[in-house]
Amino acid sequence: MFLWRVSTVLRLLKSIIACVRLHLEAILQDGILGYIMRRFLRSAMIVFSWFVVPYSRYTNIKVIRRKLPPIRSHLLEIPAVDLAKLIRNRKIKSEEVVEAYIERCRQVNPLINAIVQDRFEEALEEAREIDNVIAMGINSVESMEEHTPLLGIPVTVKESIAVKGMTNQAGRVFKTPQIAKADAPVVEQIKRCGGIILLVSNTPELCLLWETYNNVTGQTKNPYDLKRTPGGSSGGEAALLASGASLLGLTSDIGGSSRLPAMFSGIWGHKPTPYAVSFRGHHPTSDFPKWGDFFTIAPMTRYAKDLPLLLKCMSDPTGPKLTLDKEISANGIRFFFMDNDGPSGMMRPLSRDLHAAINRVASDFNAKRVNIRKMKWSLDISLSAMLTMKNIETIYHKTEEGEQPKTVCKETVKYFFGCSDSILPSVIFGHLQNFMKIIPNSRHKHLASIIEALKTEFKELLGTDGVFLYPTFPNTAHQHYQIYHKLLEPMYMAIFNTLGLPVTNCMIGLDRRNLPMGIQVVANPGQDHLCLAVAREMERRYGGWVRPPSEDSHSHAQSSSKRG
């Protein structure tokens, strides 16, 4: 008994020494300031969870467990590449396609609340005009394919992207509705390629949250489970695409705003190489010279095979040239992977299902496990780079004509007394910017040097024929508002905005709750075609988009269980 007690005490001492050693190493590597910030932020997330989780569960009590209406039109399940070909060859009419999508929008939007404003009548008129032009045979099929590859295809757009004549206030409350006076350049290009704009979709206020709700349109819900979020900030687009109510979507991405909704909704979202797509005509924006290094307008699709088509139509003629027509096999690509952020301990580990799925994908593609130790700085370098940018449009930056500018302290007090028109992230963004100002410049310079070192490491690792597989987020779609105690985890995505690398979220199956799982595929700048080639191969291997649960499938399951 005595020896057993001594052995137990020695094991305990050994564990304590190992723990102390680990923390001392962290202090030596990160510096005292970095260490304190990391511990503080992780502890803050734990404390937030004590309040956020009960609140989330309470608000979900009111949500009725309903399923979406079933998809009945076969037109809704044809990829855009094939649908455009059918329209060009007069096999089907654009009007039929647009009508089918309008009907689907009207079926699902009362449940998912993703549409801010529609232009259904105008879209139908444009579809009829297109059908008439095709019927007249003015242009050859080959000419239409080359010059108007989206001819007759409906497209939906995130409300923060300007569509002429449509609301364009990014979820902000204004006394006078803010209407876009002109199309964003990327919208102009989509129209020039023959696309028909159907509607603008919901986003959190100023796209400042990885969940989609605001005080204008309300909260958007996940089609796979209405008690869960589709993510943000492009949650409206993701919910429509996953519901079968959209086929192609224009979104934006600065910290995973396209990729997280794509993962949570089981579809495909790509963050292009910086400046490959024009970022003009978006709210929020900035005149900061390097804004385009981090922010981009991005394609989102229900089918991976449609990503190259949409990205090609979106690409800025004056930006970097992408080789999207280049045929490449996944067999000719080198694969590398990590399933965590290295030794930082900042981000949560993956859920059991996601860990198994990502490691299965890595095995299927013969990916080599690597340990990029500087990935542990993802949080530090991303916050430093993004929150020190100047003149970003916020609730404190742009106000309505005749109104006094808002102040951080006054707006914070108004928020906690329930008198603010804004949501919490918009209010506290000013505090975060002020906090960054008190951090020594030497710290920011040190973090900037780590960014450059990481860029070099990825450049040498991936070259022009390699991709890096990395988690999109550590769990599948959570219940509404629970992002507030997971605010560190989006750094799995934001790191690639900071590094300026193209990256695609790919759908890799459903977890045990039948919620979509995703993985990021990263390449070097200008190598977007590698990400998209891998996405198409993953769609082939793992099946891609899966219909969300519907009333029919629910009834069928109940009747089957009764028969059993």
Side-chain angles (χ1 to χ4, degrees):
M1 178 64 72
F2 174 75
L3 289 174
W4 179 81
R5 287 178 178 174
V6 170
S7 175
T8 302
V9 170
L10 288 174
R11 283 200 301 272
L12 180 61
L13 284 171
K14 186 177 179 181
S15 298
I16 292 171
I17 291 169
C19 184
V20 170
R21 182 181 176 185
L22 185 66
H23 283 279
L24 285 173
E25 286 178 355
I27 291 172
L28 290 172
Q29 291 176 4
D30 303 349
I32 294 175
L33 179 61
Y35 177 80
I36 291 173
M37 284 183 63
R38 287 165 180 268
R39 294 308 108 194
F40 170 77
L41 288 170
R42 177 43 66 198
S43 300
M45 292 302 104
I46 294 171
V47 173
F48 284 1
S49 71
W50 300 343
F51 302 94
V52 170
V53 174
Y55 179 76
S56 171
R57 290 175 179 170
Y58 169 73
T59 57
N60 270 323
I61 292 173
K62 306 172 188 176
V63 179
I64 300 172
R65 281 199 175 276
R66 290 184 61 187
K67 308 289 183 183
L68 299 186
I71 296 174
R72 301 209 183 274
S73 172
H74 73 283
L75 295 175
L76 299 176
E77 296 185 272
I78 303 175
V81 172
D82 302 322
L83 204 53
K85 186 176 181 180
L86 290 170
I87 292 172
R88 287 192 297 267
N89 285 280
R90 307 185 204 180
K91 302 293 183 183
I92 56 173
K93 290 186 175 182
S94 173
E95 184 179 4
E96 297 175 64
V97 175
V98 172
E99 279 181 339
Y101 274 98
I102 289 172
E103 177 60 26
R104 185 62 180 168
C105 285
R106 287 173 171 157
Q107 288 175 348
V108 302
N109 196 59
L111 296 174
I112 61 174
N113 191 38
I115 300 173
V116 178
Q117 184 182 8
D118 69 65
R119 57 185 306 277
F120 293 158
E121 293 306 316
E122 296 91 333
L124 282 169
E125 185 58 37
E126 289 168 16
R128 293 183 194 110
E129 290 175 8
I130 287 171
D131 289 333
N132 289 336
V133 170
I134 293 174
M136 292 167 65
I138 296 173
N139 300 310
S140 67
V141 171
E142 293 76 18
S143 175
M144 288 187 283
E145 183 176 7
E146 181 181 354
H147 299 292
T148 53
L150 294 179
L151 191 62
I153 301 296
V155 180
T156 54
V157 182
K158 187 176 180 178
E159 193 262 355
S160 54
I161 302 170
V163 176
K164 186 177 179 180
M166 304 290 281
T167 174
N168 181 221
Q169 52 199 59
R172 284 191 68 182
V173 175
F174 286 104
K175 293 176 183 176
T176 304
Q178 305 294 295
I179 305 300
K181 296 178 181 178
D183 289 326
V186 69
V187 174
E188 286 181 354
Q189 289 171 229
I190 291 298
K191 289 181 176 180
R192 203 176 298 126
C193 288
I196 298 173
I197 307 300
L198 268 190
L199 55 85
V200 290
S201 62
N202 205 21
T203 174
E205 186 177 28
L206 290 174
C207 306
L208 286 175
L209 185 61
W210 295 278
E211 179 158 347
T212 300
Y213 73 94
N214 57 56
N215 291 328
V216 180
T217 306
Q219 184 181 72
T220 298
K221 298 175 175 62
N222 192 310
Y224 289 86
D225 183 345
L226 300 182
K227 293 192 173 189
R228 297 177 186 270
T229 177
S233 63
S234 306
E237 280 302 304
L240 288 166
L241 284 157
S243 301
S246 177
L247 187 58
L248 305 175
L250 303 189
T251 69
S252 58
D253 194 306
I254 191 171
S257 298
S258 177
R259 286 161 284 152
L260 185 65
M263 175 193 168
F264 280 6
S265 305
I267 51 176
W268 310 81
H270 178 71
K271 184 200 87 66
T273 291
Y275 304 100
V277 176
S278 172
F279 59 78
R280 307 292 177 189
H282 184 277
H283 291 295
T285 189
S286 171
D287 58 11
F288 186 69
K290 292 187 177 181
W291 173 248
D293 289 4
F294 303 92
F295 173 82
T296 183
I297 291 177
M300 186 184 283
T301 64
R302 202 177 338 138
Y303 300 102
K305 66 186 295 185
D306 290 335
L307 274 176
L309 170 66
L310 182 56
L311 182 55
K312 186 177 179 181
C313 293
M314 294 171 65
S315 295
D316 187 346
T318 65
K321 303 304 177 189
L322 304 179
T323 55
L324 299 175
D325 293 326
K326 187 176 181 180
E327 291 291 332
I328 187 165
S329 167
N331 294 329
I333 299 173
R334 295 179 300 122
F335 289 83
F336 304 90
F337 87 104
M338 287 175 63
D339 56 14
N340 58 57
D341 65 325
S344 79
M346 282 302 295
M347 268 98 87
R348 299 164 193 264
L350 305 184
S351 70
R352 186 170 56 176
D353 287 351
L354 266 171
H355 185 271
I358 287 175
N359 278 271
R360 181 193 78 227
V361 171
S363 175
D364 289 347
F365 285 89
N366 296 314
K368 178 183 177 182
R369 183 184 289 274
V370 292
N371 183 16
I372 304 174
R373 296 187 63 83
K374 289 185 179 64
M375 290 294 281
K376 73 174 185 175
W377 294 96
S378 296
L379 175 74
D380 307 65
I381 63 179
S382 297
L383 290 181
S384 173
M386 293 184 190
L387 290 177
T388 54
M389 287 189 287
K390 297 176 182 178
N391 297 330
I392 297 177
E393 181 184 344
T394 69
I395 61 171
Y396 307 108
H397 181 264
K398 180 184 177 183
T399 56
E400 280 190 269
E401 189 175 342
E403 282 197 359
Q404 292 295 318
K406 297 179 179 181
T407 62
V408 176
C409 291
K410 184 178 179 181
E411 199 63 26
T412 303
V413 172
K414 285 176 65 179
Y415 178 83
F416 285 106
F417 277 93
C419 301
S420 174
D421 290 329
S422 295
I423 64 173
L424 183 59
S426 297
V427 175
I428 65 173
F429 191 75
H431 292 285
L432 292 173
Q433 288 181 312
N434 290 336
F435 175 73
M436 280 295 160
K437 292 176 184 177
I438 67 174
I439 294 176
N441 280 333
S442 58
R443 174 74 177 173
H444 290 303
K445 287 180 180 178
H446 172 62
L447 295 174
S449 69
I450 294 174
I451 293 174
E452 294 307 314
L454 256 178
K455 286 181 178 180
T456 300
E457 190 165 354
F458 271 104
K459 183 178 180 180
E460 293 174 352
L461 177 70
L462 301 181
T464 58
D465 64 347
V467 297
F468 177 62
L469 307 180
Y470 197 59
T472 305
F473 202 77
N475 58 260
T476 50
H478 41 245
Q479 293 188 346
H480 297 290
Y481 306 115
Q482 293 203 12
I483 190 62
Y484 282 114
H485 74 98
K486 300 176 181 179
L487 294 174
L488 307 183
E489 280 63 54
M491 296 308 118
Y492 275 112
M493 299 170 289
I495 179 62
F496 301 115
N497 295 83
T498 304
L499 298 177
L501 302 180
V503 50
T504 307
N505 173 80
C506 299
M507 162 68 163
I508 55 173
L510 303 177
D511 70 0
R512 67 190 64 201
R513 293 191 182 97
N514 288 321
L515 297 171
M517 298 185 290
I519 189 172
Q520 294 183 100
V521 180
V522 186
N524 270 327
Q527 307 302 317
D528 300 54
H529 62 283
L530 297 178
C531 300
L532 304 187
V534 173
R536 291 195 297 274
E537 180 61 21
M538 287 190 180
E539 182 174 53
R540 188 188 69 80
R541 292 194 185 198
Y542 307 124
W545 171 74
V546 177
R547 284 187 180 190
S550 65
E551 291 166 349
D552 270 13
S553 62
H554 184 60
S555 303
H556 178 73
Q558 284 184 329
S559 61
S560 296
S561 63
K562 287 177 182 177
R563 286 197 299 270

